[in-house]
Amino acid sequence: MTKTLYITAHPHDERASYSMAAGKAFIESYKEAHPDDEVIHLDLYRENIPQIDADVFSGWGKLQSGSGFEQLSEHEKAKVGRLNELSEQFIAGDKYVFVTPLWNFSFPPVMKAYFDAVAVAGKTFKYTEQGPIGLLTDKKALHIQARGGYYSEGQAAELEMGHRYISIMMQFFGVPEFEGLFIEGHNAEPDKAEEIKRNAIARAKELGRTF
């Protein structure tokens, strides 16, 4: 059975968010076209995503020095254990769908925390004499991103760091197929906002059937 992780990073739902509206259209279409697939929704604003802090470094250090998991403090156990759960879930997935807005040229900080949780040497990549090599070579991924302005071309394209970051991480993990679905311009041209949204939803539904 194919396992798809539907990973959203927005505090609002589809009624207030263009990215979430397109994401909902996509995942509903995807489920209809792939009824046998397992879809797991990770709402990063509601998930426990530990940040890599002093407790995590301390816990990792103890484990690397030979201490057993039970010898960690309660805080270390909770955070290190949860990070391990997230990374194991990620590598068990076959397809990834990331849904984010473009905030301050990037994405909400919960998405960065999630990538920090799943970027684990020996799981999603490994170090070799020739440099790091990605280990997720049988996966595919999609990024659905809403941008209030236009960032697909021109000078603003150089400022976009959200999709660019996820693209780099997918390459780092060895994911061979990665594409983007962008909804842009609705703030720059508010008179066209509804048309932009309708077109994005239509494209999302079509992509859901073929992804």
Side-chain angles (χ1 to χ4, degrees), residues 91-163:
I91 63 176
D94 300 295
K95 300 178 183 179
Y96 311 117
V97 181
F98 304 99
V99 181
T100 77
L102 179 67
W103 282 6
N104 297 320
F105 309 119
S106 184
F107 40 57
V110 289
M111 182 60 79
K112 178 59 168 63
Y114 182 73
F115 274 109
D116 286 344
V118 301
V120 181
K123 289 187 175 181
T124 49
F125 70 96
K126 67 178 179 180
Y127 292 112
T128 73
E129 293 181 355
Q130 291 73 40
I133 296 177
L135 299 176
L136 305 183
T137 57
D138 57 348
K139 320 291 187 181
K140 64 186 303 185
L142 167 69
H143 180 206
I144 298 174
Q145 181 197 54
R147 310 160 166 178
Y150 290 100
Y151 291 85
S152 291
E153 56 186 12
Q155 292 183 337
E158 298 181 0
L159 303 176
E160 197 289 314
M161 294 179 286
H163 181 71

Side-chain angles (χ1 to χ4, degrees), residues 12-182:
H12 293 147
D13 62 19
E14 71 279 0
R15 293 169 294 181
S17 162
Y18 281 56
S19 56
M20 293 294 285
K24 181 180 180 181
F26 169 87
I27 206 64
E28 289 179 348
S29 175
Y30 180 87
K31 288 178 179 179
E32 183 177 346
H34 307 80
D36 296 327
D37 289 8
E38 179 184 5
V39 176
I40 299 172
H41 182 192
L42 291 174
D43 180 347
L44 299 187
Y45 272 88
R46 290 178 170 81
E47 292 284 340
N48 171 22
I49 313 291
Q51 295 190 28
I52 297 177
D53 60 10
D55 289 328
V56 173
F57 278 124
S58 175
W60 283 345
K62 290 178 182 178
L63 293 175
Q64 290 172 356
S65 67
S67 297
F69 186 77
E70 292 306 315
Q71 294 176 277
L72 274 59
S73 72
E74 291 306 310
H75 288 301
E76 292 166 349
K77 287 179 184 177
K79 294 176 182 180
V80 171
R82 178 57 179 158
L83 288 171
N84 185 63
E85 289 176 357
L86 289 167
S87 62
E88 290 292 333
Q89 180 186 55
F90 191 75
I91 63 176
D94 300 295
K95 300 178 183 179
Y96 311 117
V97 181
F98 304 99
V99 181
T100 77
L102 179 67
W103 282 6
N104 297 320
F105 309 119
S106 184
F107 40 57
V110 289
M111 182 60 79
K112 178 59 168 63
Y114 182 73
F115 274 109
D116 286 344
V118 301
V120 181
K123 289 187 175 181
T124 49
F125 70 96
K126 67 178 179 180
Y127 292 112
T128 73
E129 293 181 355
Q130 291 73 40
I133 296 177
L135 299 176
L136 305 183
T137 57
D138 57 348
K139 320 291 187 181
K140 64 186 303 185
L142 167 69
H143 180 206
I144 298 174
Q145 181 197 54
R147 310 160 166 178
Y150 290 100
Y151 291 85
S152 291
E153 56 186 12
Q155 292 183 337
E158 298 181 0
L159 303 176
E160 197 289 314
M161 294 179 286
H163 181 71
R164 191 186 314 175
Y165 177 87
I166 296 178
S167 177
I168 290 171
M169 293 306 295
M170 291 301 100
Q171 293 177 45
F172 186 66
F173 292 161
V175 176
E177 296 183 54
F178 177 62
E179 56 189 307
L181 172 64
F182 309 120

Side-chain angles (χ1 to χ4, degrees), residues 180-202:
L181 172 64
F182 309 120
I183 309 101
E184 59 181 357
H186 43 280
N187 289 341
E189 298 186 89
D191 57 316
K192 296 181 180 179
E194 286 305 313
E195 178 185 358
I196 290 170
K197 185 176 182 179
R198 284 196 303 272
N199 290 338
I201 288 175

